[in-house]
Amino acid sequence: MIVLEYRSVPNEFGNMIEIAASTSTVPVYFCRHVHHVPTDNDWQEMQVVKLVDVATGEKPRLQTTVQVCWTDTALHMRFVCEDDYIHSPYNNRDDLLFHADVVEWFIDVDGKGLQYYEFNLSPNNVVFDALILNGPDKPREYLLEWNADGLRTSVTKLEPSEHERSAAQTQKPMHEQSHVYSYIIELPFTDLNTTPQDGSEWRINCYRIDEDTSKERSYWAWSPTGEINFHVPERFGRLLFIR
């Protein structure tokens, strides 16, 4: 976990954005604005974060990195996943993908933990999405009928030259026996009924579930929750939008 104390941060033009001083035990991601759908070259310039064990924060068996940026109309994300075995039997939208290999991201645009969105993306490019209602003193509700109608995704296996560049971003070579997959997400802000501005802050967490050949499952996260449980909104990291 990261502890940050700061009063201002620079945007991409070198101007300082004033931020109230704070100390946080959840990580912060500085989400840069780009003027077009990000290219491979754009991703090379973006902040990279690594997933760790969701309960302990320890280094995982396989490497997963996440990057995020935004345009005027959409949030863009990229997961790069080292993988030596894929278990992914699902084919239909809103199948319960979290019972197999999957990457996930949860978004709370209000930051109050009372309502947030869950997204899953399988290695076969199948999507699960839901609206989660998390009111106080009530059972959590999962509205599976909600869909992000404009969501666009892709999953591709990277060639060695491509994943070597991705590994270079994190200064760690990928495991020699593994393949590397890129999960690309474009989520229009219209699906979330809000558009961020320069300096806006959302709460977000990113996860991965992986099953190995012995059927043992691993659970990884950007911001560890302290348990094998992704639905811990108070542990969501902070996504800070900057131009």
Side-chain angles (χ1 to χ4, degrees):
M1 293 180 286
I2 301 172
V3 177
L4 294 178
E5 297 183 10
Y6 58 90
R7 291 186 178 275
S8 60
V9 295
N11 64 17
E12 63 182 318
F13 302 108
N15 300 318
M16 302 302 290
I17 304 172
E18 292 300 323
I19 303 293
S22 65
T23 299
S24 174
T25 58
V26 298
V28 177
Y29 190 96
F30 298 105
C31 184
R32 290 177 48 192
H33 181 272
V34 294
H35 296 286
H36 49 256
V37 174
T39 64
D40 287 343
N41 287 337
D42 291 320
W43 287 122
Q44 299 303 315
E45 302 298 322
M46 299 298 173
Q47 179 184 347
V48 179
V49 297
K50 299 179 185 180
L51 302 194
V52 296
D53 185 274
V54 69
T56 66
E58 295 178 352
K59 181 179 177 181
R61 182 179 69 87
L62 297 170
Q63 179 174 284
T64 308
T65 64
V66 182
Q67 296 167 284
V68 191
C69 64
W70 62 299
T71 61
D72 289 342
T73 59
L75 189 71
H76 297 263
M77 303 180 67
R78 183 173 80 155
F79 289 75
V80 176
C81 301
E82 181 185 17
D83 212 331
D84 53 7
Y85 169 75
I86 289 178
H87 173 58
S88 182
Y90 301 109
N91 299 300
N92 302 308
R93 187 170 189 139
D94 288 341
D95 281 349
L96 302 184
L97 305 180
F98 43 81
H99 291 308
D101 288 2
V102 73
V103 299
E104 304 187 19
W105 62 102
F106 291 12
I107 296 176
D108 180 353
V109 299
D110 295 324
K112 298 178 181 178
L114 301 178
Q115 175 178 298
Y116 56 91
Y117 302 93
E118 175 180 351
F119 301 90
N120 300 183
L121 181 59
S122 82
N124 293 330
N125 197 32
V126 180
V127 169
F128 168 96
D129 49 5
L131 175 62
I132 312 300
L133 303 181
N134 193 43
D137 303 319
K138 296 180 180 179
R140 186 180 294 120
E141 296 182 63
Y142 301 83
L143 305 184
L144 304 188
E145 66 273 16
W146 180 85
N147 284 332
D149 293 326
L151 178 65
R152 299 177 63 184
T153 63
S154 66
V155 181
T156 57
K157 181 180 177 181
L158 297 183
E159 296 301 321
S161 60
E162 294 177 295
H163 72 68
E164 284 165 5
R165 287 200 300 271
S166 296
Q169 291 178 313
T170 58
Q171 299 180 346
K172 173 188 179 297
M174 293 295 186
H175 193 279
E176 292 181 359
Q177 302 303 314
S178 300
H179 298 294
V180 180
Y181 298 85
S182 174
Y183 295 69
I184 299 292
I185 297 108
E186 180 179 338
L187 175 60
F189 295 130
T190 52
D191 283 331
L192 305 180
N193 297 315
T194 187
T195 299
Q197 304 298 318
D198 187 21
S200 294
E201 181 178 297
W202 292 359
R203 301 295 296 274
I204 186 172
N205 212 349
C206 300
Y207 309 98
R208 180 181 172 190
I209 300 174
D210 180 78
E211 183 175 303
D212 64 20
T213 55
S214 65
K215 306 300 182 183
E216 182 176 350
R217 288 161 59 83
S218 297
Y219 303 85
W220 304 320
W222 173 44
S223 178
T225 65
E227 56 182 318
I228 301 178
N229 180 8
F230 292 171
H231 291 271
V232 186
E234 60 270 25
R235 293 296 312 153
F236 291 1
R238 299 165 59 198
L239 185 71
L240 181 65
F241 292 86
I242 58 175
R243 283 187 178 268

